[in-house]
Structure formats: structure tokens, C-alpha cells
Amino acid sequence: MIADKEINKFVNEYCRLRDRQLAVYDGCAKLHELTVSELFVLDILWFAEDGCTQKDICEMMSANKQTINSIIIRFDKKGFISYAEVKEDRRNKRILLTEKGKSYAKDIIPPAADAENLAMADMPLDKIAELVKLTAVFTENMERRFADIKERKI
């Protein structure tokens, strides 16, 4: 089934909005000489008081292991992170921000998180809930439809 022109118009508009949002994050990341992915990993680590595993980060960002591993290696070389053993699974390590990492991130992540919260708070609560709900439905639909394409390729 090929989408009609009206649906295609909405898809294009949605994609432009998504790209504008990503550009906002990209601009924030570049201010601090980070990539967007590095900014997102730093954000995850900032808010993970007990740290998190590389697998957790991959899942939260829907990113592949190689991408996250390279970021973790870069952050480790800069002294931004440390590792703690996961008692339940010694093969995994929890990744935590060091004091140096926290000092670096404190001028980046809290202002960015505040900007996100303020941007969201500019809308009424019912519209926020609707936005999140509809975005979740659209995302699930996309995952299903793109999985169909993948299945046909196999």
C-alpha cells in the first residue's frame, strides 16, 4: 500500500520537525565539542545516580553497542567515567561519572534538561500527555512497519 499525498505530506512535516529537534540537540552538543550521541550518553550517566551498564545505555538510546562503546572509551580516556562491578553479573560493569565527569557535565546537562522541561511546560498537561501518547503510537507503528521490510529482506 502506498500512502496517499495527504499522509505523505504529514510524514514529511513530522520528519522536518524531528530533524529540527535533533538539530537543537546537535547545536547544544557542538557548543561543548560533543556529538549528539555523546551528549545523550552524558545525559544518561548524569541522571543515573547508581550508574548503568553499556547495555542499559544502548537500550535507552536505541543505539548499537559499537557506537556506545566508542563513546565510553572516549569518556574513559578523559577521566569522565569509572566502573563498578555488577554483583548479579560480573561480566557487566556499571558505568558512573567520576568527579571530573560530574564537574564537566554540570554546565551541560542540567541547563539542557531545564530547557527541555521548560519547552514541554510551555504546553498544557493534556497536550503533553497527548503528544507523548501519539509519539509512542507512531514509534511503535514505525518499528512494526520497518520490521516488516526487514523480514521481507531475509
Side-chain angles (χ1 to χ4, degrees), residues 38 41-42 45 68-83 95-98 100-101:
E38 289 171 332
V41 170
L42 194 61
L45 293 173
I68 301 308
N69 190 51
S70 348
I71 293 168
I72 296 304
I73 289 169
R74 282 194 296 278
F75 284 178
D76 189 30
K77 286 180 181 175
K78 292 180 179 186
F80 292 168
I81 59 170
S82 64
Y83 302 93
I95 303 163
L96 300 120
L97 285 176
T98 60
K100 183 177 181 180

Coordinates of all heavy atoms in Angstrom, one line a residue, residues 38 41-42 45 68-83 95-98 100-101:
E38 N 27.2 11.6 22.1 CA 28.0 11.8 23.4 C 27.1 12.6 24.4 O 27.1 12.3 25.6 CB 29.3 12.5 23.1 CG 30.3 11.7 22.4 CD 31.5 12.4 21.9 OE1 31.4 13.7 21.6 OE2 32.6 11.8 21.8
V41 N 24.6 10.2 25.9 CA 25.2 9.3 26.9 C 25.6 10.1 28.2 O 25.3 9.6 29.3 CB 26.5 8.6 26.3 CG1 27.3 7.9 27.4 CG2 26.1 7.7 25.2
L42 N 26.1 11.3 28.0 CA 26.4 12.1 29.2 C 25.1 12.4 30.0 O 25.2 12.3 31.2 CB 27.1 13.4 28.7 CG 27.8 14.2 29.8 CD1 28.9 13.5 30.5 CD2 28.3 15.5 29.2
L45 N 24.2 9.2 31.9 CA 25.0 9.0 33.1 C 24.8 10.0 34.2 O 24.9 9.7 35.3 CB 26.5 9.0 32.6 CG 26.9 7.8 31.7 CD1 28.3 8.1 31.2 CD2 26.8 6.5 32.4
I68 N 28.1 3.1 21.3 CA 28.2 3.4 22.7 C 29.6 3.0 23.3 O 30.1 3.8 24.1 CB 27.1 2.7 23.5 CG1 25.7 3.1 22.9 CG2 27.2 2.9 25.0 CD1 25.4 4.6 22.8
N69 N 30.1 1.9 22.8 CA 31.5 1.5 23.3 C 32.5 2.6 23.0 O 33.3 2.9 23.8 CB 31.8 0.2 22.7 CG 33.1 -0.4 23.4 OD1 33.2 -0.4 24.6 ND2 34.1 -0.8 22.6
S70 N 32.4 3.1 21.7 CA 33.4 4.2 21.4 C 33.3 5.4 22.2 O 34.3 6.0 22.6 CB 33.4 4.6 19.9 OG 32.6 3.9 19.1
I71 N 32.0 5.8 22.6 CA 31.8 6.9 23.4 C 32.3 6.7 24.8 O 33.0 7.5 25.4 CB 30.3 7.3 23.5 CG1 29.9 7.8 22.1 CG2 30.0 8.3 24.5 CD1 28.4 7.9 21.9
I72 N 32.1 5.5 25.3 CA 32.5 5.1 26.7 C 34.1 5.1 26.7 O 34.7 5.6 27.7 CB 32.0 3.7 27.1 CG1 30.5 3.7 27.2 CG2 32.6 3.2 28.3 CD1 29.9 4.7 28.1
I73 N 34.7 4.6 25.7 CA 36.2 4.7 25.6 C 36.7 6.1 25.6 O 37.6 6.4 26.3 CB 36.7 3.9 24.3 CG1 36.5 2.4 24.5 CG2 38.2 4.2 24.1 CD1 36.7 1.5 23.3
R74 N 36.1 7.0 24.8 CA 36.5 8.4 24.8 C 36.3 9.0 26.2 O 37.2 9.8 26.7 CB 35.7 9.2 23.7 CG 36.2 9.0 22.3 CD 35.7 10.0 21.3 NE 34.3 10.0 21.1 CZ 33.6 9.1 20.3 NH1 34.3 8.2 19.6 NH2 32.3 9.2 20.1
F75 N 35.1 8.8 26.8 CA 34.9 9.3 28.1 C 35.9 8.8 29.2 O 36.3 9.5 30.1 CB 33.4 9.1 28.6 CG 32.4 10.0 27.9 CD1 31.1 9.8 28.2 CD2 32.8 11.0 27.0 CE1 30.1 10.6 27.6 CE2 31.8 11.8 26.4 CZ 30.5 11.6 26.7
D76 N 36.2 7.5 29.0 CA 37.2 6.9 30.0 C 38.6 7.5 29.8 O 39.2 7.9 30.8 CB 37.3 5.4 29.7 CG 38.1 4.6 30.7 OD1 38.1 5.0 31.9 OD2 38.7 3.6 30.3
K77 N 39.0 7.8 28.6 CA 40.3 8.4 28.3 C 40.4 9.8 28.9 O 41.4 10.3 29.3 CB 40.6 8.4 26.8 CG 41.0 7.1 26.3 CD 41.3 7.1 24.8 CE 41.6 5.8 24.2 NZ 41.8 5.8 22.8
K78 N 39.2 10.5 28.9 CA 39.2 11.8 29.5 C 39.0 11.8 31.0 O 39.0 12.9 31.6 CB 38.0 12.6 28.9 CG 38.2 12.9 27.4 CD 37.0 13.7 26.9 CE 37.2 14.0 25.4 NZ 36.2 14.9 24.8
G79 N 38.8 10.6 31.6 CA 38.7 10.5 33.0 C 37.3 10.9 33.5 O 37.1 11.2 34.7
F80 N 36.3 10.9 32.6 CA 34.9 11.2 33.0 C 34.1 10.1 33.7 O 33.1 10.4 34.3 CB 34.2 11.7 31.8 CG 34.6 13.0 31.2 CD1 34.2 13.4 29.9 CD2 35.5 13.8 31.8 CE1 34.6 14.6 29.3 CE2 35.9 15.0 31.3 CZ 35.5 15.4 30.0
I81 N 34.6 8.9 33.5 CA 33.8 7.7 34.0 C 34.7 6.8 34.8 O 35.9 6.7 34.6 CB 33.1 7.0 32.8 CG1 34.1 6.4 31.8 CG2 32.1 7.8 32.2 CD1 33.5 5.5 30.8
S82 N 34.0 6.0 35.6 CA 34.7 4.9 36.3 C 33.7 3.7 36.2 O 32.6 3.8 35.7 CB 34.9 5.2 37.8 OG 33.7 5.4 38.4
Y83 N 34.2 2.5 36.6 CA 33.4 1.3 36.5 C 33.2 0.7 37.9 O 34.1 0.8 38.7 CB 34.1 0.3 35.6 CG 34.4 0.9 34.2 CD1 35.6 1.5 33.9 CD2 33.4 0.7 33.2 CE1 35.8 2.0 32.6 CE2 33.7 1.2 31.9 CZ 34.9 1.9 31.7 OH 35.1 2.4 30.4
I95 N 28.7 1.8 34.7 CA 29.4 3.0 34.4 C 28.9 4.2 35.2 O 27.7 4.4 35.2 CB 29.3 3.2 32.8 CG1 29.7 2.0 32.1 CG2 30.1 4.5 32.4 CD1 29.3 2.0 30.6
L96 N 29.8 4.9 35.8 CA 29.5 6.0 36.6 C 30.3 7.2 36.2 O 31.5 7.1 35.8 CB 29.8 5.7 38.1 CG 29.0 4.5 38.7 CD1 30.0 3.5 39.2 CD2 28.1 5.0 39.8
L97 N 29.8 8.4 36.4 CA 30.6 9.6 36.2 C 31.5 9.8 37.4 O 31.1 9.6 38.5 CB 29.7 10.8 36.1 CG 28.9 11.0 34.8 CD1 28.0 12.3 34.9 CD2 29.8 11.2 33.6
T98 N 32.7 10.1 37.1 CA 33.7 10.5 38.1 C 33.4 11.9 38.6 O 32.6 12.6 38.0 CB 35.1 10.4 37.6 OG1 35.3 11.3 36.5 CG2 35.5 9.0 37.1
K100 N 35.4 14.3 38.0 CA 35.8 15.1 36.9 C 34.7 15.1 35.8 O 34.4 16.1 35.2 CB 37.1 14.5 36.2 CG 37.6 15.3 35.1 CD 38.9 14.7 34.5 CE 39.4 15.5 33.4 NZ 40.7 15.0 32.8
G101 N 34.0 13.9 35.6 CA 32.9 13.8 34.7 C 31.7 14.7 35.2 O 31.1 15.3 34.4

